[in-house]
């Protein structure tokens, strides 16, 4: 079935193929329209990855498309703080002029880029690199530097790239600070979790201070004290080594430096460490033995550990769990995988930020350092920021400080569908077409051995006044004169002759002008783009990525049925339910290792030191003043980052309550529905309370994505707590600079009604 080409009348009752944009799984969907409303939504059974699966949230997507405060015209902020509606030509011309001015006065590297895509929209971001190249911008960041950069750095030392777990087949599945029942991440998560729970031959191990819906299904729930995972994992690894449940043959054949690691773990005091995490030693030992004797093990670490103390060390210990037991490159285990385009770099090299020398991992400036890089009179501070598809004034630690940071810049440009908390701080706001109004895709293609990619066709015409990001970037680049007209004309002529002549002409031009490489997405958009069917101009960059797939994974691509890069590109353009772009053999996993000897180097000296230091590292960060550990930003049945702005999509708990253990609530004199004041070192907030025996004493949680400012008559109204009004940029990991959002020392008090 073809999607509605832009401008076409579409029949009522027709099902349009697309995908959900609320989490990285991007489940395939069918949508029926009633004018511009989403009348019916259901799972797409033909989808290559999700095969009809959806969770409860996808059915509410009309609240994204038609709710919230959609933007329909570019806005410019005036000196009195008010916004003026301006036309696109004015906006593009003024922004280009002001970017050039920053570049001339301070250098293009003072232009900072944040974002590039959320849970559903990475295609626009793929073009942003060309703009960055044209203005000389060198520094960037995104939400990845709030969660995955520490893990990526560890990967950079070990397997050299991202690994993924085969939970469909794993005998033992381990979830560390991950609640896939609510947050997914594992494709078709609820089905897979239920299958594991039902099968007596398979086991699930969950490390979580909360008895989550996932923990309900687990065979081993290690309900540890918040923030103590490093000790818990060390104890598990200690059992594996001390009870000799290690795969020595695997270590000898496939790794180097294992002796240093085993030596460190042989000294772990298992009893003492189990005590620190508050988990019975017997349970730690039983979980370790289950891992050590399993035919296959897959693990998934997520925000519960990545946004908590010792997160980079924990990533290392997590990976040792499956490496020391030989759970790599076989069904049910862990695997590196192909990419259409890598989401970040996976390197052990550390670059440094210009002002504070913070570590840049995977090419990303740590989110918690951005404010410190700007709120200074250091000459190398950033002067301008382009924010695309992200809402950092809401999602970064210490929102008040981040708003101040945006105020301190000479120029802030925001590309978004909605008038967000970040847009309110911008000098220019550019209205993007929604993810159902344009060609879109994500690069969350993380599977092995079958890896899939879904280019989504538009379901609707763009809302009048909005543009797709590739067109916005192209207009800026045209205005900047980034590529000479002559070169573009030559390529346009070649494109008319066919893909073969186009490819050779492109290669010839690149050979004479290397600077074109960084501008390639834009060049493709301008020259190949107009020749693509169904107005799929934005898909042009995928032609370049298909060439990359053919070069890097030729055999896997051919196994997936694509005989050439162009054949793959055509399949992507035509495949409305996604395409499988690579099929690997399990043995191929070794080819993904970047080392000539194809052995995994196991020792990371800095992290082995951190492991040794654990014996004297503080395991608690609370105090008499702030006695609670607040998890600021839990994924629940009705949270979806800030993608839905309209709060009426929540059927339950519309304002997002603070969850507390019954004993704590009794001590504080609180019952469900009461209001409590939460105070941290950075701020205070008032929340309704939900007493919930899933929480342990001393631990409280707030949902993520709430506290958005919604239009209400002449003003705005806020529902729920914006978690980052309470967080502090200084609470961050020593290695990666990633935040401790899940571990915020807090005080909770009953709010007396007046
Ligand atoms: N419903 C829903 N799903 C989503 C999203 C959403 O907003 N809503 N967002 C998406 C995004 S961007 C992401 S990154 C993922 C995140 O997905 P998850 O990481 O699964 O989400 P969280 O609920 O933030 O955290 C997971 C778990 O960590 C636990 N935790 C808290 N502190 C600790 C600790 O000290 N140790 C351990 N071991 N666990 C701890 C929490 O109790 C929680 O159950 O979800 C994605 N999916
Ligand atoms: N305290 C605390 N803070 C957190 C977290 C937490 O657990 N606790 N979680 C962190 C994590 S894991 C993440 S991933 C981040 C998420 O935070 P952000 O990276 O800021 O992303 P989202 O909230 O997903 O917001 C996406 C933005 O994209 C816009 N958008 C939607 N569709 C389009 C489109 O087609 N084009 C454009 N241009 N814009 C579009 C939306 O309106 C929204 O403003 O938050 C992080 N912050
Ligand atoms: S699992 Fe994720 S992508 Fe799939 S329907 Fe739910 S929120 Fe959407
Ligand atoms: Mo995330």
């Amino acid at each position: 079935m073809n999607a509605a080409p832009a401008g076409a009348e579409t029949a009522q009752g027709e099902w349009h193929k697309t995908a959900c944009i609320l989490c990285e799984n991007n489940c395939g969907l069918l949508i029926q329209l009633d004018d511009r409303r989403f009348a019916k939504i259901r799972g797409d059974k033909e989808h290559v990855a999700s095969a009809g699966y959806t969770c409860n949230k996808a059915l509410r997507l009309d609240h994204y498309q038609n709710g919230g405060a959609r933007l329909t015209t570019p806005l410019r902020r005036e000196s009195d703080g008010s916004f003026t509606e301006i036309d696109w030509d004015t906006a593009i011309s003024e922004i280009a002029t002001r970017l050039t001015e920053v570049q001339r006065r301070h250098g293009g590297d003072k232009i900072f880029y944040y974002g590039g895509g959320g849970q559903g929209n990475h295609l626009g971001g793929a073009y942003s690199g060309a703009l960055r190249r044209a203005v000389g911008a060198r520094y960037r960041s995104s939400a990845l530097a709030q969660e995955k950069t520490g893990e990526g750095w560890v990967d950079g030392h070990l397997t050299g790239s991202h690994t993924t777990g085969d939970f469909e087949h794993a005998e033992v599945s381990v979830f560390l600070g991950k609640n896939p029942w609510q947050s997914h991440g594992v494709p078709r998560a609820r089905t897979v979790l239920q299958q594991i729970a039902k099968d007596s031959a398979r086991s699930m191990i969950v490390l979580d201070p909360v008895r989550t819906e996932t923990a309900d299904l687990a065979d081993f729930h290690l309900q540890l004290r918040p923030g103590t995972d490093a000790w818990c994992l060390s104890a598990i690894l200690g059992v594996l080594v001390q009870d000799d449940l290690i795969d020595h043959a695997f270590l000898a054949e496939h790794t180097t430096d294992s002796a240093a690691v085993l030596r460190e773990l042989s000294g772990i005091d298992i009893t003492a460490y189990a005590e620190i995490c508050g988990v019975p030693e017997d349970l730690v030992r039983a979980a370790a033995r289950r891992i050590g004797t399993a035919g296959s093990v897959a693990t998934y670490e997520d925000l519960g550990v990545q946004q908590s103390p010792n997160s980079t060390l924990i990533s290392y210990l997590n990976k040792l769990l499956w490496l020391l037991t030989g759970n790599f490159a076989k069904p049910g285990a862990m695997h590196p995988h192909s990419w259409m385009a890598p989401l970040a770099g996976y390197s052990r090299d550390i670059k440094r930020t210009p002002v504070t020398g913070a570590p840049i991992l995977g090419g990303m400036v740590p989110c918690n350092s951005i404010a410190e890089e700007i709120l200074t009179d250091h000459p190398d501070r950033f002067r301008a920021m382009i924010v695309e598809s992200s809402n950092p004034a809401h999602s970064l630690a210490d929102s008040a400080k981040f708003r101040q940071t945006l105020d301190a810049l000479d120029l802030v440009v925001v590309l978004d569908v909605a008038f967000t908390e970040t847009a309110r701080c911008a000098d220019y706001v550019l209205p993007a077409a929604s993810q159902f109004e344009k060609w879109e895709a994500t690069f969350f293609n993380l599977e092995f051995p079958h890896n899939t990619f879904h280019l989504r066709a538009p379901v609707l015409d763009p809302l009048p006044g909005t543009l797709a990001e590739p067109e916005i970037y192209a207009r800026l680049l045209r205005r900047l004169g980034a590529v000479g007209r002559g070169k573009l004309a030559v390529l346009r002529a070649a494109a008319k002759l066919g893909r073969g002549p186009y490819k050779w002409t492109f290669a010839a031009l690149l050979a004479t002008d290397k600077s074109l490489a960084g501008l390639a997405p834009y060049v493709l958009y301008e020259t190949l783009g107009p020749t693509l069917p169904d107005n799929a101009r934005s898909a042009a960059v995928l032609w370049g990525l298909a060439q990359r797939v053919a070069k890097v994974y030729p055999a896997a691509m051919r196994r997936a049925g694509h005989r050439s890069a162009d054949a793959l590109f055509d399949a992507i353009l035509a495949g409305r339910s996604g395409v499988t772009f690579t099929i690997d053999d399990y043995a191929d996993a070794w080819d993904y290792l970047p080392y000539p000897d194809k052995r995994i180097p196991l020792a990371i000296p800095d992290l082995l030191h951190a492991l040794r230091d654990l014996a004297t590292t503080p395991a608690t960060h609370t105090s008499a003043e702030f006695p609670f550990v607040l998890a600021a930003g839990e994924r629940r049945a009705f949270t979806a980052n800030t993608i839905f702005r309209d709060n009426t999509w929540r059927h339950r708990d519309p304002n997002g309550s603070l969850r507390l253990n019954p004993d704590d609530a009794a001590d504080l004199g609180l019952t469900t529905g009461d209001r409590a004041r939460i105070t941290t070192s950075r701020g205070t907030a008032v929340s309704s309370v939900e007493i919930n025996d899933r929480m342990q004493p001393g631990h409280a949680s707030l949902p993520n994505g709430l506290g958005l400012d919604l239009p209400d008559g002449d003003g705005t109204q806020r529902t729920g707590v914006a978690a980052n009004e309470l967080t502090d940029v200084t609470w961050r990991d020593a290695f990666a600079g990633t935040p401790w959002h899940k571990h915020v020392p807090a005080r909770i008090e009953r709010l007396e009604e007046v």
Side-chain angles (χ1 to χ4, degrees), residues 405-417:
T405 302
L406 291 174
D407 268 354
L409 292 165
D410 297 350
L411 173 67
V412 178
V413 181
V414 169
L415 282 68
D416 205 297
V417 293

Side-chain angles (χ1 to χ4, degrees), residues 700-751:
S701 90
L702 276 172
N704 75 308
L706 276 100
L708 300 179
D709 294 324
L710 304 165
D712 179 20
D714 287 341
T716 58
Q717 171 218 329
R718 182 176 285 195
T719 311
V721 176
N724 287 313
E725 301 292 349
L726 297 169
T727 53
D728 188 326
V729 296
T730 62
W731 296 322
R732 60 188 184 213
D733 185 65
F735 290 95
T738 39
W740 292 10
H741 290 324
K742 297 289 182 275
H743 205 92
V744 182
R747 184 166 69 246
I748 298 171
E749 294 151 307
R750 186 188 149 84
L751 196 71

Side-chain angles (χ1 to χ4, degrees), residues 13 194 254 345 374 416 523 565 583 585 667 672:
Q194 277 165 332
H254 296 301
I374 294 166
D416 205 297
V523 174
I583 298 180
D585 279 338
D667 286 350
T672 291

Side-chain angles (χ1 to χ4, degrees), residues 305-384:
V305 291
Q306 293 184 337
Q307 297 184 337
S308 284
N310 308 303
S311 58
T312 306
L313 172 60
I314 291 169
S315 294
Y316 183 41
L317 300 175
N318 163 32
K319 282 155 209 290
L320 288 177
L321 215 55
W322 48 265
L323 283 167
L324 297 183
T325 50
N327 281 293
F328 181 79
K330 64 181 190 183
M334 302 298 297
H335 310 274
H337 54 83
S338 58
W339 300 90
M340 274 302 282
L343 289 169
Y346 291 86
S347 166
R348 59 177 73 179
D349 297 339
I350 302 184
K351 296 197 177 65
R352 297 278 165 187
T353 57
V355 173
T356 65
I360 299 179
L361 305 181
M364 305 278 170
V365 170
C367 291
N368 282 39
S369 296
I370 297 172
E372 293 168 356
E373 290 289 315
I374 294 166
L375 292 175
T376 162
D377 52 15
H378 194 290
D380 290 339
R381 66 189 185 274
F382 302 126
R383 309 293 177 132

Side-chain angles (χ1 to χ4, degrees), residues 21 64 114 117-119 121 143 146-147 303 307 388-392 394-396 415-418 420 432-435 438 440 469 632-635 640-643 645 704 723-724 727 741-742:
I21 58 159
Y64 162 78
Y114 190 88
Q119 301 299 301
N121 53 324
Q146 292 219 65
E147 41 176 326
L303 302 186
Q307 297 184 337
E388 185 224 309
S389 306
S390 194
N391 189 5
H394 184 274
S395 60
L396 261 55
L415 282 68
D416 205 297
V417 293
T420 63
S434 86
Q435 297 181 51
K438 65 193 173 202
E440 250 315 347
E469 292 81 353
E634 184 179 63
R635 272 66 186 163
N641 288 1
T642 66
I643 305 166
R645 295 188 61 78
N704 75 308
N724 287 313
T727 53
H741 290 324
K742 297 289 182 275

Side-chain angles (χ1 to χ4, degrees), residues 346-588:
Y346 291 86
S347 166
R348 59 177 73 179
D349 297 339
I350 302 184
K351 296 197 177 65
R352 297 278 165 187
T353 57
V355 173
T356 65
I360 299 179
L361 305 181
M364 305 278 170
V365 170
C367 291
N368 282 39
S369 296
I370 297 172
E372 293 168 356
E373 290 289 315
I374 294 166
L375 292 175
T376 162
D377 52 15
H378 194 290
D380 290 339
R381 66 189 185 274
F382 302 126
R383 309 293 177 132
M385 196 182 299
I386 300 170
V387 180
E388 185 224 309
S389 306
S390 194
N391 189 5
H394 184 274
S395 60
L396 261 55
D398 198 343
S399 301
K401 188 167 186 156
F402 197 77
R403 287 190 295 265
Q404 209 188 328
T405 302
L406 291 174
D407 268 354
L409 292 165
D410 297 350
L411 173 67
V412 178
V413 181
V414 169
L415 282 68
D416 205 297
V417 293
F419 194 54
T420 63
E421 291 63 30
T422 310
R424 281 160 222 264
C425 303
D427 297 296
Y428 292 89
V429 184
L430 299 179
S434 86
Q435 297 181 51
F436 301 101
E437 297 168 347
K438 65 193 173 202
W439 290 88
E440 250 315 347
T442 74
F443 298 116
F444 292 131
N445 323 120
L446 316 170
E447 298 304 313
F448 185 96
H450 290 73
N451 205 355
T452 62
F453 181 81
H454 186 187
L455 173 68
R456 289 130 48 193
V459 168
L460 287 161
D461 285 338
L463 196 62
T466 66
L467 292 175
E469 292 81 353
E471 177 62 23
I472 299 175
Y473 288 122
R475 289 188 184 193
L476 283 166
L477 285 156
R478 275 176 219 147
R479 186 80 200 187
L480 292 165
V483 180
R485 284 165 192 230
K487 284 180 186 148
L488 295 177
V490 169
L491 279 165
R492 274 194 201 105
K496 288 210 178 95
L497 299 175
R499 298 267 181 77
Y502 183 77
K503 186 173 173 180
W504 302 124
T505 311
F506 204 118
L509 278 179
L510 265 183
T512 58
D513 179 0
K514 295 263 182 292
S515 75
L516 277 185
L519 295 162
Y522 166 65
V523 174
L524 290 166
Y525 182 83
E526 293 289 60
T527 58
L528 181 69
T531 69
L532 299 178
D534 299 332
N535 294 321
R537 189 170 183 174
S538 302
V541 69
L542 300 173
W543 180 81
L545 297 178
Q547 308 294 326
R548 177 188 169 275
V549 169
K551 196 165 155 214
V552 186
Y553 327 106
M557 181 189 82
R558 275 197 297 277
R559 248 181 252 128
H562 316 290
R563 61 185 192 289
S564 66
D566 276 290
L568 171 60
F569 180 56
D570 287 333
I572 288 171
L573 282 173
R576 294 289 183 268
S577 293
V579 295
T580 300
F581 67 96
T582 49
I583 298 180
D584 277 298
D585 279 338
Y586 285 97
D588 290 346

